[in-house]
Amino acid sequence: LAEKMVNCFKLSSEQLSSQDHYDFGMRAVNTVISAAGLNKRKQPDADEAILMLRALKDSNLPKFLTDDIVLFSGIISDLFPGTELPEADYGSLMEMMNERTL
């Protein structure tokens, strides 16, 4: 899984557009590792590939431009073939966002 994470950041830095707020260095690695650890504590019996995939997506997708999301999704699907990511349960956060934006 560590190799997949490193390859994800390497490919992202090469293929995604150059933006000042994109970070694929050690700070990003630390963020993903921390998120994966939190996921593991919440779901100790879950597949670690799914937990890593969730951490990569949750840590990176919010900062990407729309065009780069498509490229990042392609990178992720190449690195994690056949891994189905269950829908995330963000609880009341999504309810509040929908309530406030409508």
Side-chain angles (χ1 to χ4, degrees), residues 2-95:
E3 281 185 46
K4 288 185 178 189
M5 178 181 59
V6 170
N7 285 334
C8 178
F9 285 128
K10 182 177 181 286
L11 292 169
S12 295
S13 68
E14 293 170 355
Q15 295 179 20
L16 302 186
S17 65
S18 179
Q19 301 293 322
D20 289 337
H21 63 279
Y22 287 4
D23 177 21
F24 301 113
M26 289 307 296
R27 186 177 321 161
V29 169
N30 186 40
T31 299
V32 171
I33 290 172
S34 296
L38 289 172
N39 290 343
K40 182 67 173 174
R41 282 190 278 289
K42 288 180 189 174
Q43 302 170 342
D45 298 325
D47 180 6
E48 290 186 358
I50 291 174
L51 298 177
M52 178 60 76
L53 181 55
R54 169 70 61 212
L56 282 166
K57 286 184 129 183
D58 286 353
S59 300
N60 288 294
L61 282 180
K63 63 184 171 187
F64 290 152
L65 300 176
T66 305
D67 292 340
D68 288 334
I69 290 174
V70 174
L71 294 172
F72 184 75
S73 296
I75 292 168
I76 289 291
S77 66
D78 288 346
L79 292 172
F80 295 88
T83 304
E84 292 293 324
L85 192 61
E87 183 137 352
D89 179 17
Y90 295 112
S92 61
L93 174 65
M94 295 306 294
E95 292 174 22

